[in-house]
Amino acid sequence: ELPGRLAILPFRNKVLLPGAIVRIRCTNPSSVKLVEQELWQREDKGLIGVLPVRDSEAAAVGSILSPGVGSDSGEGGRRSPGGSGGESTKQDAKSGKEPIHWHSRGVAARALHLSRGVEKPSGRVTYIVVLEGLCRFSVEELNARGSYHVARVSRLDMTKTELEQAEQDPDLIALSRQFKATAMELISVLEQKQKTVGRTKVLLETVPVYRLADIFVASFEISFEEQLAMLDSVDLKVRLSKATELVDRHLQSILVAEKITQKVEGQLSKSQKEFLLRQQFCR
């Protein structure tokens, strides 16, 4: 169940997708306050919202601890989500503050683990937070609560009943098969390359395909715009099409790299043979 309001953690130039797990270090005072009030003081691990913000529109204060993780960003006043205009931008311009343009869609995240640290000699409190993305939401209203932000949100991802109905669509079934086939080919290539046999193939048969699409894409190094496009792909057909394209592109890049490596190794091998023949001839 998604609450009607969520405290918002900004992700600088990065996107958290449902199903992905990230580990971040919060050092910014506003993010530290959010963690203390919304997560640390709760007996059960709470939910927060993660919203992307652009690199040029927010100050990076946190540090990245793992691939695909955005750092926390600076403070701001009252904001309207998504747009670059509006009263909030005008007010910020008058007050001399740089406006923060939040993306209008984000992901609700569950805190899987929290740890608190104190830096020496400053005594500054920091937090390590492990978050799991759960579902997409749309921001209806975004307001400041002290030093951090809280948004009124509405769920975008389908409910379980809606998903069961959608999965009967022949077009969606065909897209699901195409995605799984491409993903399976990528996994096979990676396993041969790394000489290992993992459990990813089992996940392809057990994890719902709409969730797999997000998880696979979250593991790739892609542009911020492509990450946003995936986040905005609420329609399952659009999401699977985008995910299949990205998985195939990743697969092709590996295959091309392997072909180049084989050609280089072949040329080196040929040169070595010629060198040995010359050495024998000189003797």
Side-chain angles (χ1 to χ4, degrees):
E1 293 293 331
L2 186 67
R5 290 185 179 275
L6 289 172
I8 298 299
L9 179 69
F11 257 27
R12 180 185 61 87
N13 220 33
K14 292 290 182 182
V15 173
L16 174 66
L17 291 173
I21 296 176
V22 295
R23 180 173 177 263
I24 65 171
R25 180 173 181 241
C26 292
T27 60
N28 180 273
S30 62
S31 297
V32 167
K33 193 69 173 177
L34 181 151
V35 172
E36 286 179 342
Q37 295 193 0
E38 303 291 337
L39 300 176
W40 186 259
Q41 295 178 9
R42 295 176 182 269
E43 292 183 4
D44 56 334
K45 298 296 188 296
L47 292 179
I48 61 173
V50 177
L51 276 184
V53 293
R54 293 188 180 278
D55 186 38
S56 60
E57 295 163 345
V61 187
S63 58
I64 299 176
L65 295 187
S66 59
V69 182
S71 56
D72 48 20
S73 66
E75 302 175 15
R78 186 166 181 159
R79 301 287 186 270
S80 58
S84 58
E87 288 300 317
S88 61
T89 304
K90 294 177 183 177
Q91 291 171 3
D92 289 333
K94 290 179 181 178
S95 63
K97 292 182 180 179
E98 183 182 358
I100 301 176
H101 303 295
W102 305 83
H103 195 63
S104 60
R105 289 175 175 176
V107 168
R110 172 174 54 196
L112 299 179
H113 176 75
L114 298 169
S115 61
R116 186 176 184 270
V118 179
E119 293 183 349
K120 294 182 180 180
S122 65
R124 183 175 66 165
V125 174
T126 63
Y127 286 93
I128 302 294
V129 185
V130 179
L131 296 173
E132 177 188 17
L134 297 179
C135 68
R136 291 168 173 79
F137 63 78
S138 176
V139 177
E140 306 297 331
E141 184 183 16
L142 185 64
N143 297 298
R145 175 185 289 177
S147 61
Y148 61 92
H149 289 80
V150 174
R152 181 164 57 85
V153 301
S154 59
R155 184 186 178 111
L156 289 175
D157 283 338
M158 292 181 176
T159 63
K160 184 178 179 181
T161 303
E162 291 171 337
L163 282 169
E164 289 174 351
Q165 294 175 350
E167 287 170 353
Q168 305 304 314
D169 187 331
D171 292 338
L172 187 62
I173 292 173
L175 285 169
S176 298
R177 288 174 178 168
Q178 183 182 3
F179 170 79
K180 284 188 175 183
T182 308
M184 185 67 76
E185 187 177 357
L186 173 62
I187 292 166
S188 298
V189 169
L190 291 174
E191 286 183 348
Q192 290 174 10
K193 190 178 180 66
Q194 298 169 1
K195 307 299 182 184
T196 59
V197 178
R199 58 178 183 173
T200 315
K201 289 181 179 179
V202 178
L203 294 178
L204 280 172
E205 301 301 326
T206 56
V207 177
V209 69
Y210 66 90
R211 181 70 75 185
L212 280 172
D214 284 327
I215 292 173
F216 265 77
V217 172
S219 67
F220 299 152
E221 289 293 332
I222 58 176
S223 69
F224 183 47
E225 296 301 328
E226 288 174 317
Q227 293 178 47
L228 289 177
M230 192 66 185
L231 174 63
D232 290 339
S233 298
V234 178
D235 184 271
L236 293 184
K237 294 178 185 178
V238 175
R239 190 185 310 170
L240 281 174
S241 295
K242 287 184 181 297
T244 302
E245 179 185 344
L246 290 168
V247 171
D248 184 63
R249 191 176 76 189
H250 193 67
L251 171 63
Q252 296 307 319
S253 67
I254 292 175
L255 295 176
V256 168
E258 284 187 345
K259 287 181 180 178
I260 293 172
T261 301
Q262 289 171 2
K263 286 183 179 180
V264 170
E265 288 176 348
Q267 291 295 328
L268 288 174
S269 178
K270 184 179 178 181
S271 299
Q272 287 171 348
K273 288 177 182 178
E274 290 176 351
F275 174 76
L276 291 173
L277 286 172
R278 285 197 300 268
Q279 290 290 96
Q280 290 174 3
F281 181 77
C282 290
R283 289 176 187 174

